[in-house]
Amino acid sequence: MPTSAPEQPIELDITNVAHGGIFVARHEGRVVFVSDAIPGEKVLARITDARKKSFWRAETIAVLEPSEHRRDHVWAEASVDRDPIERPGGAEFGHMSLEHQRALKNQVLSEAFEKFAGGAAPDFDVESVAGDDEAGGLGWRTRVRLHVDENGRMGPYAARSHRVVPVASLPLATTRLSELIELDALVEGAASIDLIDPSGSEPLLCVGADDLKAAGTVTERVRDRGFSVDAGGFWQVHRGAASTLTEAVQRAIDGALFEPRADNLDLYGGVGLLAAAVQDRFGDTVRMTSVEADAGATRHARRNLIAGNIEAETARVDRYLTHLHSRLSAVERRAFRDATVVLDPPRAGAGTQVTAQLAQLAPAQIVYVACDPVALARDAGAFAASGYELTSLRAFDLFPHTHHVEAVASFVRAR
C-alpha cells in the first residue's frame, strides 16, 4: 500500500456509490472516495486529501470511459470540464439521469439497513415528487443561500470548501427565485444572501443576517392549511416536500393502532407540519404534544396548531423525554402504550438516548421521518433490538440532482 499520495492524476475504476454522494474506487489496495463519477466508469482523478491512512479523497478531472447513465451536467458551472475548485456544490448527482440517481439512492438506503439495522429493508422505490420528472428535476428549491467573497462576488460554495464560486444560473431554484437575483451584481457589507420563495407569500431577497432577521414571518401553504414560519427558520426546501411528507405520515400511521386521546407525541416538531398531518387525518379530538428545541418555531407551532387539542412545548427532545419518564405514574406509563409517536430528527438522527427513552415508554407505534439513510438505519436497529418491528418504508426524491433522500419508516411494538 502506498504511503503518500501520487502527485499526478491517476486512473481509477469506479466500483460503487457511498453514503454522502461520493463514489468508491481502489488504488493499490487503498480505498479512494471520488466525486463527480458514476459506478462502472473509468476516470482520471486528482487526489485532494490523503490525511487518512484508511482512505483518500479525489476529484474527477476527466471521464475516460463514461457510464451509459452519464448526462451533461444540469448546472454548467458544475461540469466535470471545469477545475474541481471552480465547481459549485449542491448538485453532486447532476451529471446522471434522474432514474439512475434514484437507483443509487435506493442502493445507499438498502445497504445502510443491511449494515446498521440488522437486516434487509422492506422493498421500496425512491418515489419522485409530482412534476419533477417533467421539469427534469429542476426548479424545486425554494430556499437558497449564496455567499459573498472578499471582492463582493456572490455564489455558492465549492463542494467541501468555503470558496465562493460565482455562477450565472441557479437551475435547482424555483423560477421566482431565479428572477429575483442578479447573480453578477457585487455585494457590499454582507457575508451572505438568502433567497426565499414561500408558497403562501411573496418571495424575499435578504442581504445579510440582519436583513434575514428583519424579514419576519412568511406563510407556507399545505393543502388547505397555512403555516407561519420565520423567514430564516426551517421549512422543507422542495416546493412539494411538505405536501408529500404530510401524505406519507398520514399513510404510515396504522389507524387500527391509533388512539386519538392517548399521549401522542410529535418530536422535533418544528412549526407543526406533522402534528397538523396527524390532526387532519384523525380530527380535532387528537391529543398530541409537539416538542421542538427552537423557541421561535414553537411559537409558530402554537399559532399553526391553534385548533384542537395539540400543545407545543419548547425543549430538547432528550430532556423532554427524561422529564416525562420522571413524572409518569405507573398507570400513566401503561396508558402511554396506546400512544403514537411521530419524529423528524435532524440529520444526525434520534440517537441512542432518544431511541432508548422511546422504547422504555413503549408506544404502540412510531413513525420516523429521516433525511439521512445511515442515521435512520442505526435508529431502526435500536428500535428492532427493543422489540419494534419495521412494518413499512417509503423513500422520496425530495432533492433531485443531489445525493439526499428522505424516508418515512413505521415501527410497531411487538405484542
Side-chain angles (χ1 to χ4, degrees):
M1 182 176 293
T3 59
S4 60
E7 295 182 1
Q8 299 301 316
I10 56 176
E11 292 186 7
L12 294 171
D13 292 314
I14 308 300
T15 59
N16 207 348
V17 61
H19 175 53
I22 52 178
F23 302 88
V24 182
R26 286 187 177 271
H27 177 69
E28 298 181 2
R30 187 189 301 272
V31 172
V32 184
F33 292 124
V34 189
S35 64
D36 299 318
I38 303 174
E41 291 188 329
K42 181 186 289 291
V43 303
L44 189 66
R46 183 168 63 211
I47 303 300
T48 58
D49 187 347
R51 292 173 294 176
K52 300 287 188 180
K53 292 183 178 180
S54 56
F55 66 86
W56 290 340
R57 293 188 182 275
E59 299 275 7
T60 298
I61 59 174
V63 180
L64 305 178
E65 296 178 10
S67 163
E68 62 181 312
H69 305 294
R70 180 170 283 275
R71 304 288 185 270
D72 290 339
H73 205 291
V74 296
W75 200 355
E77 289 91 336
S79 171
V80 73
D81 298 330
R82 288 174 58 123
D83 190 291
I85 66 172
E86 297 295 337
R87 298 174 197 165
E92 63 278 2
F93 274 13
H95 58 288
M96 64 184 87
S97 67
L98 284 172
E99 181 181 11
H100 197 58
Q101 291 178 35
R102 292 170 190 150
L104 293 180
K105 294 176 186 186
N106 186 303
Q107 179 182 335
V108 168
L109 182 54
S110 297
E111 290 178 352
F113 266 80
E114 291 174 2
K115 184 174 182 179
F116 297 106
D123 289 338
F124 67 94
D125 292 315
V126 177
E127 304 173 38
S128 63
V129 177
D132 274 356
D133 286 343
E134 294 80 356
L138 306 179
W140 53 266
R141 179 175 279 278
T142 62
R143 281 157 172 76
V144 173
R145 172 164 288 182
L146 302 175
H147 304 277
V148 181
D149 68 12
E150 65 276 8
N151 298 314
R153 301 178 305 170
M154 73 178 86
Y157 283 143
R160 293 179 294 280
S161 82
H162 289 100
R163 176 185 173 86
V164 175
V165 179
V167 295
S169 64
L170 298 171
L172 302 190
T174 63
T175 299
R176 293 209 303 179
L177 290 188
S178 295
E179 294 174 347
L180 196 63
I181 186 78
E182 294 182 9
L183 292 167
D184 58 354
L186 297 180
V187 180
E188 295 183 4
S192 61
I193 293 177
D194 284 275
L195 308 173
I196 304 157
D197 185 8
S199 57
S201 52
E202 290 300 309
L204 299 174
L205 188 159
C206 300
V207 181
D210 290 342
D211 200 11
L212 180 62
K213 185 176 181 180
T217 298
V218 298
T219 300
E220 297 285 356
R221 297 209 63 82
V222 182
R223 300 178 179 175
D224 296 329
R225 273 189 184 258
F227 292 83
S228 65
V229 57
D230 286 341
F234 175 77
W235 187 259
Q236 293 286 341
V237 298
H238 190 295
R239 54 174 172 71
S243 294
T244 298
L245 292 177
T246 292
E247 181 270 341
V249 167
Q250 289 174 336
R251 283 182 55 183
I253 296 172
D254 185 339
L257 296 177
F258 187 80
E259 172 50 59
R261 293 177 176 81
D263 292 327
N264 302 298
L265 293 176
D266 170 34
L267 304 180
Y268 313 94
V271 300
L273 174 67
L274 300 184
V278 177
Q279 186 183 59
D280 286 348
R281 178 180 173 189
F282 295 101
D284 288 346
T285 61
V286 170
R287 292 181 63 239
M288 177 170 266
T289 301
S290 184
V291 182
E292 167 59 46
D294 183 83
T298 305
R299 287 194 296 271
H300 286 297
R302 291 189 183 114
R303 290 192 289 268
N304 296 334
L305 301 168
I306 193 168
N309 299 301
I310 300 181
E311 299 179 352
E313 293 198 17
T314 301
R316 270 180 38 174
V317 168
D318 56 346
R319 294 175 181 172
Y320 175 86
L321 293 176
T322 297
H323 177 67
L324 186 63
H325 275 287
S326 70
R327 67 176 174 81
L328 285 180
S329 68
V331 172
E332 290 170 327
R333 192 175 295 275
R334 286 194 296 272
F336 202 93
R337 292 172 64 85
D338 292 329
T340 292
V341 175
V342 177
L343 68 157
D344 183 8
R347 193 167 303 282
T352 55
Q353 181 177 351
V354 170
T355 54
Q357 290 171 318
L358 288 177
Q360 290 168 16
L361 289 171
Q365 60 185 324
I366 298 169
V367 175
Y368 190 128
V369 179
C371 59
D372 185 274
V374 170
L376 171 60
R378 284 175 174 155
D379 290 344
F383 286 135
S386 299
Y388 280 84
E389 177 187 358
L390 175 65
T391 55
S392 71
L393 177 67
R394 295 178 70 189
F396 302 93
D397 194 13
L398 300 189
F399 310 90
H401 301 299
T402 82
H403 73 277
H404 298 291
V405 60
E406 199 91 2
V408 177
S410 299
F411 302 87
V412 172
R413 188 187 69 237
R415 297 292 176 174

